[in-house]
Amino acid sequence: MAEAPIRIGISTCLLGKPVRFDGGHKRDGFLVDTFGKWVEWVPVCPEVELGLGTPRETMRLVRTEGEVRLVMPRCGRDHTEAMTRFAERRAAELARADLSGYVLKKDSPSCGMERVKIYDRHGTPARAGVGLFAAALAARLPRLPIEEEGRLSDPRLRENFVERVFAYRRLRTFFAGRWISGGLVRFHTAHKLLVMSHSTVAYGRLGRLVASVKRLDRAAFANRYQQEFMDALKVIATVRRHTNALQHMLGHFRDRLDPASRQELAACIDEYRRGLVPLVVPITLVRHHVRALGVEYLAGQLYLEPHPKELMLRNHV
Ligand code: SF4
């Protein structure tokens, strides 16, 4: 499984395919040209797969008598039931498609993940909806990293999503095998600084869970660990949390680095904290010392390289 391609579901229009209502597309350069080199896309256009064709009338979410309906406002046709049935069936298929993430098109009444416009009977919109397909997907695959392409233009959200994709893949690979508690401790330890950069509280909670593994039912444990692990990574890693993780690593060099090199590393971490250099700078220096000095514990920390460096996700200040 570790050798299989990383499969990511995606709203088809983001790949540049002309499937939108107007016959156009919404090609996303980062996804297609950069992230696309590392993953295998699994495209889904719910509206085309439902048989609505291209071009087609626009659709919108409308609140009618307390219910949210998916309708074509010009002809009045209501597609709510058909789309709900399709979405549940397709989400069940995707649950068997070995996905490690999903990128949805924002604002769409089918694909939008949040803040989709819901119109009232006067035609006034409120950004309070979720696309029908997106809702079925999230309900069927609650741990799957799901993000909208619009939010991925924010560097912190982009890194968070890509990091979750790779972590989710490792998590599923681990629990898909015949895991033993020793392997679990190794998995958990390798992710220590990565999880701590998101939430030290969650890391503590996961640690207590790992300590109780022999007292719990295996399936229940696996389910709970995976859920809490992915929930922890959803918390955005801030500069303060990254600084804590870096200082934690600095502590591991106490008796190994000469004073001048220690001071240089401490100063580099502080420059990152003050927003003068991107995260990649102290991380590169740490990796250099880890390699040169053979610091085994830190060498095993996935925090030092949670995703391919070619994606340059830690190069922003
Ligand atoms: S947003 Fe979704 S339904 Fe609309 S064109 Fe893109 S893939 Fe199809």
Side-chain angles (χ1 to χ4, degrees), residues 26-82:
K26 283 283 177 182
R27 187 182 190 279
D28 185 287
F30 166 73
L31 293 172
V32 176
D33 302 326
T34 306
F35 196 34
K37 290 185 184 141
W38 301 92
V39 304
E40 178 182 302
W41 297 117
V42 178
V44 178
C45 176
E47 294 176 15
V48 166
E49 290 192 22
L50 191 59
L52 298 177
T54 306
R56 56 187 173 274
E57 264 193 52
T58 55
M59 298 213 282
R60 56 166 60 168
L61 297 178
V62 176
R63 194 176 298 281
T64 315
E65 293 166 13
E67 264 186 56
V68 176
R69 315 287 305 177
L70 178 66
V71 300
M72 287 177 158
R74 233 181 44 207
C75 67
R77 211 169 301 146
D78 187 320
H79 294 281
T80 313
E81 272 75 31

Side-chain angles (χ1 to χ4, degrees), residues 11-13 19-21 44-48 56 105 108 110-111:
S11 296
T12 308
C13 55
V19 292
R20 297 195 83 215
F21 68 96
V44 178
C45 176
E47 294 176 15
V48 166
R56 56 187 173 274
K105 170 75 189 72
S108 156
S110 303
C111 291

Side-chain angles (χ1 to χ4, degrees), residues 25 74 93 124 149 178:
H25 61 78
R74 233 181 44 207
E93 271 173 27
T124 307
E149 101 290 356
R178 287 173 58 80

Side-chain angles (χ1 to χ4, degrees), residues 102 113-114 137-139 141-147 151 156-165 167-168 171 194-199 202-203 205-206 226-238 241:
Y102 211 108
M113 183 179 91
E114 60 179 26
L137 184 72
L141 290 158
R143 291 196 281 267
L144 184 72
I146 301 178
E147 196 46 278
R151 284 166 48 94
R156 287 197 316 159
L157 298 181
R158 178 183 288 189
E159 188 192 0
N160 179 273
F161 174 67
V162 175
E163 191 181 295
R164 281 189 292 138
V165 163
Y168 185 61
L171 185 72
L194 189 72
V195 176
M196 277 176 63
S197 70
H198 293 268
S199 166
Y203 182 74
R205 207 166 39 232
L206 279 166
Q226 291 182 76
Q227 188 64 53
E228 292 201 16
F229 181 88
M230 293 310 297
D231 286 349
L233 296 190
K234 251 193 193 171
V235 179
I236 299 297
T238 59
R241 292 188 187 116

